[in-house]
């Protein structure tokens, strides 16, 4: 079993009101098949995500990213000491190890996963698989300090010019501790919730999946009953769109530059 650096993404899942409808949606959009015994989505027979029935209607329909840890209990205490909070304290889940849910000082919710018999992702950075996470916040200074303190993230402030953005663009790219900050080691970033977003939008984590064709993924999403929240746009890293599935869960898709028309 591979050893994952603490704080790096190791799994994603979505809790959906209608699990079978979710399987049909993502099965067609990403080419996923499903392990009936483990609520897991597979790509070419390899684990890429979890789809779960939502058992509490008060919980949002959303994608959650899980960060790796060797000891969820110790990490939960560090989160609280650094100004975050535990939404759900660590709890054992059989072969899946120990899971927990936490929130950063800006309110963005993320999971913790202490590995069990398996270690989460078996495929990433390929069409139909996870590739990136973004924390959106209205409190960038507090959130930057939080993730650096808790996980030791090495941050690099993105250059607005390099990203083709306005001079006020504020985005921090994260690499894991022990690595050299840069595109080769980056796994996610911190973005600011600007005036372009609805005033009621809370801090949140956005999960990205690779697709071959971003525009085609948007068309497929709409045909399957989802919607496009942010239409496709080009970046130096590829073509991106933000979508909602047919039950409201928000996620993003990215077609790599080599696959961008």
């Amino acid at each position: 079993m591979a050893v994952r650096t603490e704080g790096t993404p190791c799994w994603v899942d979505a809790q959906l009101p209608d699990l079978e409808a979710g399987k049909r949606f993502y099965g067609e959009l990403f080419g996923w098949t499903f392990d009936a015994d483990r609520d897991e989505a597979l790509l070419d027979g390899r684990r890429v995500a979890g789809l779960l029935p939502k058992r509490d209607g008060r919980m949002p329909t959303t994608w959650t990213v899980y960060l790796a840890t060797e000891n969820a209990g110790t990490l939960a205490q560090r989160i609280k000491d650094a100004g975050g909070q535990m939404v759900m304290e660590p709890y054992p889940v059989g072969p899946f190890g120990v899971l927990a849910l936490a929130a950063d000082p800006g309110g963005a919710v993320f999971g913790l996963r202490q590995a069990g018999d398996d270690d989460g992702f078996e495929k990433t950075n390929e069409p139909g698989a996870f590739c990136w996470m973004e924390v959106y916040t209205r409190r960038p200074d507090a959130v930057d300090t939080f993730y650096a303190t808790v996980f030791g993230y090495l941050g690099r402030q993105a250059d607005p010019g390099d990203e083709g953005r306005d001079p006020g663009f504020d985005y921090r790219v994260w690499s894991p501790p022990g690595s050299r900050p840069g595109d080769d080691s980056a796994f996610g970033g911190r973005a600011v919730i600007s005036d372009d977003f609805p005033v009621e939008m809370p801090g949140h984590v956005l999960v990205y999946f690779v697709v071959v064709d971003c525009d085609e993924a948007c068309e497929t999403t709409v045909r399957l009953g989802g919607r496009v929240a942010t239409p496709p746009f080009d970046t130096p890293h590829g073509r991106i769109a933000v979508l909602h599935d047919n039950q409201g869960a928000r996620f993003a898709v990215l077609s790599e530059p080599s696959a961008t028309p």
Side-chain angles (χ1 to χ4, degrees):
M1 182 172 65
V3 176
R4 297 181 186 271
T5 301
E6 183 158 273
T8 56
C10 63
W11 192 243
V12 290
D13 68 24
Q15 295 193 18
L16 303 173
D18 187 335
L19 182 59
E20 293 307 312
K23 289 180 177 179
R24 291 191 294 270
F25 178 91
Y26 289 105
E28 184 161 351
L29 180 62
F30 292 142
W32 290 352
T33 58
F34 300 92
D35 184 330
D37 296 326
R38 291 169 60 106
D39 292 325
E40 291 179 340
L42 308 175
L43 189 64
D44 300 326
R46 311 290 282 177
R47 294 188 302 270
V48 290
L51 289 186
L52 309 169
K54 187 163 72 170
R55 296 181 174 86
D56 185 343
R58 296 169 297 179
M59 296 293 289
T61 301
T62 185
W63 278 98
T64 299
V65 63
Y66 290 82
L67 306 179
T69 179
E70 293 185 2
N71 190 312
T74 299
L75 184 55
Q77 187 59 53
R78 286 213 311 269
I79 287 169
K80 290 182 278 192
D81 291 343
Q85 59 180 317
M86 296 306 299
V87 177
M88 188 174 295
E89 294 285 349
Y91 60 99
V93 282
F96 305 103
V98 177
L99 302 182
L101 288 177
D104 68 24
V109 175
F110 58 91
L112 309 177
R113 178 169 171 147
Q114 178 181 319
D117 294 341
D118 63 61
D119 195 22
F121 293 129
E122 290 183 313
K123 267 183 181 283
T124 57
N125 300 310
E126 297 180 18
F130 169 87
C131 64
W132 191 254
M133 62 171 280
E134 273 175 355
V135 173
Y136 280 80
T137 186
R138 299 182 191 276
R139 301 183 61 196
D141 291 342
V143 164
D144 289 349
T145 299
F146 172 82
Y147 287 100
T149 300
V150 174
F151 295 111
Y153 288 175
L154 302 178
R156 174 178 61 83
Q157 200 70 18
D159 183 279
D162 292 344
E163 299 295 324
R165 301 297 187 97
D166 295 332
F169 178 66
D170 184 353
Y171 192 97
R172 195 156 185 81
V173 181
W174 286 329
S175 296
S179 66
R180 183 174 182 176
D183 290 343
D184 290 343
S185 62
F187 61 84
R190 185 272 298 148
V192 174
I193 301 175
S194 66
D195 294 338
D196 295 332
F197 292 86
V199 294
E200 66 273 11
M201 177 173 281
H204 62 280
V205 179
L206 183 63
V207 171
Y208 281 70
F209 298 96
V210 179
V211 292
V212 173
D213 187 313
C214 183
D215 296 76
E216 183 179 300
C218 291
E219 294 171 3
T220 301
T221 293
V222 173
R223 177 170 57 80
L224 295 174
R227 65 183 178 89
V228 178
T230 303
F233 63 97
D234 292 317
T235 76
H237 313 287
R239 191 161 172 82
I240 292 171
V242 181
L243 309 173
H244 289 264
D245 70 15
N246 57 345
Q247 298 176 67
R250 190 170 184 263
F251 62 100
V253 292
L254 165 71
S255 58
E256 302 286 354
S258 60
T260 302

